[in-house]
Each structure stands twice: as structure tokens, then as C-alpha cells.
Amino acid sequence: MTKTNLTATIDIDAEPAQVWSVVSDLRRMPEWSYQCRAMRPLGTIRQGAHTVNWNHRGRKYWPTVSRIERFEPGRAVAFRTLSNNSVWSFEITPTATGSRLIHRRDVPPEGTKWISRIIVEHILGGEQNFDVEMLDGMNTTLDKIKSVVERGSQGVVDEDQECAGGGGEGCYEGEPGGCAG
């Protein structure tokens, strides 16, 4: 079972608030992540809230559920994948030229859950290959986020998004007007 924490970092020529408006919209995760096909928040995005996710690798598809472990508007968002106990996070820090975005996958000291180990070893090509693939994917994710933020296309509001305190899936606790993006 993997015990390897992974970290990828990128500098972005934009203010932290611009970066936050993109990374905090978890519904957009499929735009950045090659593995994620859907990430749907259940209610308002806040610490303790859950998301339902749909991942894929080649012809293999699987659902996951995550719990938001950290939600600090303008600074950080992290979610724990409940099926394997790993925590995925984005953290933004200001720099002299804009922002630094750090993307992490942290696993508990005892490693991921046994079911995750079996899936990684027997279906996804083994731990070492999978971790290399994950780190490559994390770097690609950051490249895509950087491109979108620096282009200035920070997001669109979904038709089903409820804002201004409506508590719908498009609303984010701590955001002005109740909406991200």
C-alpha cells in the first residue's frame, strides 16, 4: 500500500484571489485532472461537506466519495478520498509576481486502505508506476490551471447553480455573494 506523499508546485502570474476562483470550484476538477470525470459537491462547499466523484483510467471507471477536510477561502482546499484515505489539496501562497499553487496528495503514515492497495497492484499497474502517473497528472493539472488563470477565463456559472445564499451545489461558504467564479 502506498505511503508516498506527492507534491507538485507551479508559479502563476496572477493574484491569489484569481487562482482561488478557479481551484475552489471543485465542479471544474475534470477540466484539470486527467483521471477525474466528475466531481459533484453535495450542498454548500465547506469543511465537512462531501463530494461524489467519477474517475477513470483508460477503460476502467470507478466512483469515489470525498469529504472536504480543509476549506480556507482564498488560501486552501483539501478533500479526503474516503475509499483510500488519501488527502488531495491545493494551497495558494502569494509571491512577488503573483501566486504559487501547491498540489499535494498526502497519505496517512500507515498507508492507504487495503482495498486501494489491491486495486493499485492488480488493476492499475503497481504502486511505483501509479505514483509516477499520479505525479505526472498533478503537474499537468497545475499547468492547465495556470493556463486558464493567466488567460483570465476563470469560470462559467452552471445553469443549475443556485447562488446568493441558496445553498445549492454552486454555492461556496465564505465567498462574496455565495458563489465561486
Side-chain angles (χ1 to χ4, degrees):
M1 75 184 75
T2 189
K3 292 183 179 182
T4 305
N5 294 325
L6 303 174
T7 301
T9 303
I10 199 164
D11 287 334
I12 301 175
D13 293 328
E15 294 297 315
Q18 293 171 281
V19 178
W20 175 254
S21 71
V22 172
V23 300
S24 65
D25 188 350
L26 298 179
R27 295 163 302 140
R28 293 186 73 186
M29 191 64 68
E31 293 178 47
W32 331 125
S33 170
Y34 77 98
Q35 192 175 75
C36 181
R37 288 295 159 253
M39 186 171 204
R40 293 312 241 175
L42 302 177
T44 301
I45 296 294
R46 60 176 171 68
Q47 189 166 328
H50 289 82
T51 66
V52 176
N53 319 300
W54 190 246
N55 296 327
H56 97 108
R57 181 176 182 241
R59 295 181 187 189
K60 302 168 187 95
Y61 289 85
W62 64 96
T64 63
V65 174
S66 298
R67 181 180 58 244
I68 298 170
E69 299 282 311
R70 182 176 174 200
F71 190 79
E72 298 175 30
R75 188 164 187 279
V77 61
F79 52 92
R80 179 179 305 277
T81 303
L82 300 180
S83 58
N84 66 21
N85 228 14
S86 60
V87 176
W88 294 87
S89 64
F90 291 97
E91 187 169 335
I92 305 161
T93 57
T95 66
T97 59
S99 304
R100 178 162 295 132
L101 181 59
I102 303 165
H103 186 19
R104 290 188 177 93
R105 181 197 71 184
D106 295 317
V107 296
E110 65 276 7
T112 56
K113 293 183 178 180
W114 68 271
I115 189 68
S116 180
R117 185 190 77 218
I118 290 170
I119 291 169
V120 167
E121 288 301 320
H122 299 288
I123 298 173
L124 299 177
E127 181 182 325
Q128 185 175 2
N129 291 338
F130 191 66
D131 284 350
V132 167
E133 184 179 319
M134 289 291 99
L135 188 55
D136 287 346
M138 291 166 67
N139 282 302
T140 299
T141 293
L142 292 181
D143 287 339
K144 288 178 179 181
I145 292 170
K146 175 184 173 83
S147 177
V148 166
V149 171
E150 289 180 352
R151 262 195 338 255
S153 54
Q154 295 177 7
V156 295
V157 176
D158 284 350
E159 290 178 14
D160 63 347
Q161 186 175 29
E162 299 174 27
C163 295
E169 74 180 65
C171 297
Y172 292 76
E173 186 175 90
E175 291 292 328
C179 293

